[in-house]
Amino acid sequence: MGMNGSSRRMSSPSPQPQGRNEPPGRSPGRRGPLKARSVATQVFLLQLTIVAILVVATLLVIVVQVRSQANEQAREEVLVSGQTFANSPGMVAALDGPDPTAVLQPRAEAARERSGLDAVVVTDTRGIRYTHPDPAQIGRRFVGTLEPSLKGRTTVESAEGPILPGGESDVVQSVVPVFRPNGTVAGIVSTSVTVKHVDRDVARRLPVLFGTAGGALVVAAGGAALVSRRLRHQTHGLGPVEMTRMYEHHDAVLHSVREGVLIVGADGRLLLANDEARRLLDLPADAERRHVGELGLAPATARLLTSTEAVTDAVHLVGDRLLAVNVRPVDPHSGPAGSVATLRDSTELRALAGRAELARERLQLLYDAGVGIGTTLDVARTAEELAEIAVGRFADFATVELLDAVIRGDEPHAADTAMRRIAVRGVQADPPLYPAGETVHFVPASPIAQGLAAGHAVLAADLAGTQGWRDQDPERAQDVLDAGIHSLITVPLRARGVVLGCANFWRSEQEAFTQDDVSFAEELSARAALSIDNARRYAREHAVAVTLQRSLLPRALPEQSALDVAHRYLPAEAGVGGDWFDVIPLPGARVALVVGDVVGHGLHAAATMGRLRTAVHNFSALDRAPDELIGHLDELAARIDADEADPEGVGEGMMLGATCLYAIYDPVTGRCTLARAGHPGPAVVLPDGTAEFPDVPVSPPLGLGGGMPVETAELQLPEGATLALYTDGLVEDRHRDLDIGLALLSDTLAATVDRTPDEVCRAVLDAVLPERPADDVALLVARTRRIDPDRVAEWDVPADPAAVSRVRSDATRKLADWDLDEAAFATELVVSELVTNAIRYGSEPIRLRLLHDRNSLICEVADGSSTSPHLRRAKSTDEGGRGLFLVARFAERWGTRYTSRGKVIWTEQSLHGPGRTPEAESEESLLDQWGDDTEF
């Protein structure tokens, strides 16, 4: 309390005299009730506003909820009443009688009076009224929707403007069909309640709601007033501007004023000491709240500070400083008793000549550091150069620690206290510090960890008195102190906003570090950090080049059942190349094989290869035919060349050429479709050992086709045939003819027909590969498999909706033959939807095919139309549009592929992996998703 009172006295902006009981900083005219400028009033208004908003919002929510409940109750009431009246005895006889109005009008009015409804209307199937509360409306047309009820459904709706005895009014009405014994609709019964009727029910509840809300608001306002009154008492009614000004003055006195200020209580305890007073008197960190005599000051100085008499410019020697001390007692009527003391350092400045000499030496050291640090692009060597420059001229020992990510060349994301010591230099040969190469985990209390956390240098002028440093490793810390090391400056190494590590400067023979040395250590470390970061960036770029080469090729081939595949890739001696290969599973158990080659070496060739490989994956996802895919790749390569042409038009950086071979194998038919652009053709080995190079039409290399059509070739491969795809680096060599390389490849493939594809790859490389290949080599060997014909079922489907049921039954029986009864429900749904869509929106011929692959069940529906269905979210009022939604729910994948004669819609269901099962869907949820009139 004494501290706060003193601070208010120092920062009070008011020049007017104050009374004894008047809070500082407040004029006498501000007494009385809460004022708009006071903090308490603003808090009160804010709390009251928030409470009012919450009460109003809650009231609105409750009113809306009550109205919604009343409306829902009205809908249920009219529905039950309408169904009860429609099913009452004699209703059908009265409707079919000669005079329905005479019989039903009294019954309807009686029912209306009993149930409290506003209207009970009976109409014929054309909507002509037989009954109505207003007899004048009998014989006129019913206002509402009759079509669903004529189809046998009961509806509840809101109608606008039906005529009632009181005039036109919006109503909630039910429309209920009356059925004859044979199931036909004899008439319609409509019961209704007006919206005004519903609103009256809601209005009866409003007084209670408003009363509750008003009570809550009053209670909240009272509580806020009490809190604000308490806050006003504590803040003495000061406004925000005055409190802000007080805090600014108080903060300036504590941290910015270059004159020591101390506030001492009447009991001699130190209540407040600003930064300058702590520095001048060398006070401990926990000095506040301790008695002045316990702070280690000279007795004369302690007596002076606790004096109750005024003292002016009393000079006292404190350590090596001469301080001018002023003491003023505090008026006990304006706050707690005590005294305020100010301190001013009157010691002469150090000799200017000595400081100038020190500045010159530091400038020379910085110059030498700029020349001697960063001579190589090696991270470790750069750290060692920093330590070598600092030792002897600035420090007696220097150590440098770096983050492991920096050593690897990676980008460090955050400062870490676990670092590896890279460099150790000192005036002694074997200092007791952590050796180079050791990983050090700095404890949070150590100066090094504090410097990393704060982002600036930390000075530990006396290591013996720095407990956090000793906690790091007590035994080693004692060895360091025994070696004479007594002072430390630790500086985080920061470059481009990233912490790389830290540099530590130690002294044993020189005088202890001072605060003046900190800025120089930061400048020296900043220059070294920039050089270390340059070396790190170079290491990262080198690692990126190596990583790029390894990551652009597939590390593992995808699982598929059509081919048994093995592969090999050998980089050229010249470095990163542009050869690639791929195995891409396609819908319908088909598989695509790809081999390509980008001319040249280096990062540009590898990057271009990666772009082309990604493009092949994307085009394959669209299920393009080989000739279309090669055509798209050709256009892409031409665009790459155009985009990468340099402004001078020299062509530096252009792709220079690329080749590709793309093949699709179908295990159902055994047909393999191929297309190539400037690439060597494949080699085929039949099961009997016959090896050949089939004639596949060749198109110009990618980027040079000019939009010309691409030709394809089809091969009929038996089961067990071997297909070899390769790049020219395997068979071409400057020291032998191409024909020799092809002959060696053919002979090797024929001799290894009974081996596994992996063994074939090994044999081919041993026999065909040149001794010193000048180019990359990619080899892909695939052994064909066929799907058992018993696992393939096909049906021709006539364009007749009645055929859907028969096709569904045939598919179910086929699944039973395959022991796939668990998939029958989902498959029936898929077959029904796809065949129905083909009949309704497609064109003939329509064909259904089921494939039982090893791990999946594939359903394909082909038709002659090119119109593709799309998945959409049907609205709650839609009567259809949910078929493909359910197909997507039960199928693992689905899609469309186009053929020369139309399209194929396919789905794939997983048989062994986790998937959607019919048990996961209840009957009600499926019906809700499907709709009332959707047919399979």
Side-chain angles (χ1 to χ4, degrees), residues 217-466:
L217 185 60
V218 170
V219 172
L226 292 177
V227 173
S228 300
R229 183 177 179 182
R230 177 62 178 170
L231 181 61
R232 178 174 177 268
H233 176 73
Q234 293 180 348
T235 59
H236 299 286
L238 294 177
V241 175
E242 294 167 330
M243 294 188 67
T244 301
R245 188 183 308 162
M246 286 180 56
Y247 174 78
E248 292 174 350
H249 293 175
H250 183 268
D251 186 74
V253 171
L254 284 180
H255 305 297
S256 301
V257 173
R258 302 308 298 170
E259 184 172 334
V261 178
L262 297 97
I263 299 178
V264 182
D267 57 355
R269 294 183 180 275
L270 180 63
L271 301 181
L272 176 68
N274 68 349
D275 294 348
E276 184 67 9
R278 291 176 179 274
R279 185 184 70 84
L280 295 176
L281 297 177
D282 196 18
L283 297 178
D286 58 346
E288 292 183 359
R289 300 298 176 182
R290 294 174 59 183
H291 196 278
V292 174
E294 301 174 357
L295 301 179
L297 302 176
T301 304
R303 286 194 301 270
L304 180 63
L305 295 178
T306 56
S307 174
T308 57
E309 299 179 357
V311 178
T312 302
D313 291 336
V315 178
H316 277 254
L317 179 64
V318 179
D320 59 349
R321 298 186 181 95
L322 287 176
L323 302 181
V325 183
N326 293 270
V327 179
R328 293 292 183 271
V330 176
D331 185 1
H333 297 290
S334 59
S339 61
V340 177
T342 61
L343 312 174
R344 186 172 65 254
D345 190 358
S346 60
T347 307
E348 293 293 335
L349 297 177
R350 298 182 182 275
L352 294 179
R355 292 199 174 189
E357 178 64 19
L358 179 62
R360 187 191 65 79
E361 293 176 356
R362 295 288 170 84
L363 288 175
Q364 182 63 37
L365 181 56
L366 289 177
Y367 172 79
D368 295 341
V371 176
I373 298 177
T375 58
T376 66
L377 288 175
D378 181 80
V379 173
R381 180 53 192 160
T382 305
E384 292 173 355
E385 290 171 345
L386 169 61
E388 292 171 356
I389 286 290
V391 170
R393 302 170 64 179
F394 177 67
D396 296 319
F397 297 91
T399 60
V400 180
E401 293 86 34
L402 298 178
L403 297 172
D404 285 338
V406 176
I407 301 173
R408 296 192 305 268
D410 296 336
E411 186 80 18
H413 298 287
D416 190 357
T417 57
M419 293 181 292
R420 181 169 303 180
R421 179 153 289 178
I422 299 300
V424 179
R425 290 291 185 274
V427 293
Q428 298 178 11
D430 188 16
L433 302 170
Y434 286 112
E438 184 169 343
T439 299
V440 184
H441 297 267
F442 296 106
V443 298
S446 66
I448 298 175
Q450 292 176 356
L452 291 173
H456 56 73
V458 173
L459 169 64
D462 182 13
L463 288 178
T466 306

Side-chain angles (χ1 to χ4, degrees), residues 825-842:
F825 178 84
T827 305
E828 282 188 71
L829 188 148
V830 170
V831 169
S832 298
E833 174 59 24
L834 297 186
V835 173
T836 300
N837 281 345
I839 294 174
R840 184 176 297 177
Y841 305 110

Side-chain angles (χ1 to χ4, degrees), residues 162 242 324 350 449 478 573 664 672 695 726 738 742:
E242 294 167 330
R350 298 182 182 275
Q478 188 60 46
E573 294 181 355
I664 295 179
C672 182
D695 185 16
Y726 52 92
L738 175 61
L742 293 176

Side-chain angles (χ1 to χ4, degrees), residues 444-783:
S446 66
I448 298 175
Q450 292 176 356
L452 291 173
H456 56 73
V458 173
L459 169 64
D462 182 13
L463 288 178
T466 306
Q467 186 60 38
W469 172 76
R470 300 174 68 94
D471 291 342
Q472 173 69 40
D473 188 342
E475 183 176 350
R476 186 180 294 273
Q478 188 60 46
D479 293 340
V480 170
L481 294 176
D482 294 342
I485 300 176
H486 54 77
S487 185
L488 164 69
I489 293 180
T490 177
V491 185
L493 295 174
R494 299 176 60 91
R496 301 177 178 92
V498 177
V499 175
L500 308 175
C502 65
N504 307 307
F505 305 100
W506 315 76
R507 280 186 177 178
S508 60
E509 300 177 0
Q510 304 181 47
E511 294 182 357
F513 286 115
T514 65
Q515 196 66 36
D516 294 337
D517 297 318
V518 173
S519 59
F520 176 77
E522 290 181 333
E523 177 66 22
L524 180 62
S525 300
R527 299 193 179 195
L530 188 61
S531 298
I532 291 175
D533 190 56
N534 289 336
R536 177 193 66 81
R537 291 161 67 91
Y538 171 79
R540 181 184 63 183
E541 292 175 1
H542 180 70
V544 166
V546 176
T547 303
L548 176 64
Q549 180 184 14
R550 296 176 179 176
S551 64
L552 289 177
L553 294 173
R555 298 185 179 181
L557 299 181
E559 294 185 3
Q560 43 81 31
S561 58
L563 296 169
D564 184 9
V565 184
H567 64 88
R568 290 292 188 277
Y569 173 79
L570 296 178
E573 294 181 355
V576 180
D579 290 12
W580 92 92
F581 62 89
D582 252 319
V583 177
I584 306 173
L586 298 177
R590 299 169 302 139
V591 177
L593 301 176
V594 192
V595 172
D597 184 7
V598 176
V599 177
H601 297 89
L603 287 176
H604 178 73
T608 304
M609 175 264 285
R611 298 168 69 177
L612 292 178
R613 179 170 176 251
T614 301
V616 170
H617 271 270
N618 293 335
F619 292 141
S620 298
L622 300 176
D623 212 345
R624 298 295 187 184
D627 54 341
E628 296 181 15
L629 187 141
I630 293 296
H632 288 309
L633 279 183
D634 179 67
E635 295 176 1
L636 175 63
R639 286 199 300 270
I640 292 176
D641 279 347
D643 294 342
E644 295 186 351
D646 58 308
E648 289 77 12
V650 181
E652 183 179 354
M654 296 177 62
M655 190 170 65
L656 300 178
T659 64
C660 181
L661 170 62
Y662 187 83
I664 295 179
Y665 173 70
D666 188 347
V668 177
T669 62
R671 185 180 300 111
C672 182
T673 307
L674 306 95
R676 60 182 177 133
H679 199 85
V684 176
V685 182
L686 300 179
D688 60 0
T690 302
E692 59 181 6
F693 294 94
D695 185 16
V696 178
V698 59
S699 301
L702 299 178
L704 305 177
M708 297 296 293
V710 179
E711 298 185 41
T712 62
E714 289 192 358
L715 306 179
Q716 189 66 36
L717 301 179
E719 184 171 9
T722 301
L723 185 66
L725 283 65
Y726 52 92
T727 56
D728 55 3
L730 179 66
V731 294
E732 291 185 2
D733 185 49
R734 67 185 65 180
H735 302 295
R736 71 183 183 193
D737 293 337
L738 175 61
D739 293 340
I740 296 177
L742 293 176
L744 288 173
L745 176 61
S746 176
D747 295 342
T748 305
L749 291 174
T752 56
V753 66
D754 56 343
R755 302 185 188 178
T756 64
D758 191 74
E759 294 173 343
V760 173
C761 287
R762 187 180 305 110
V764 167
L765 293 182
D766 293 341
V768 184
L769 189 67
E771 293 184 3
R772 294 183 178 180
D775 197 2
D776 292 9
V777 174
L779 174 64
L780 201 61
V781 176
R783 185 72 48 79

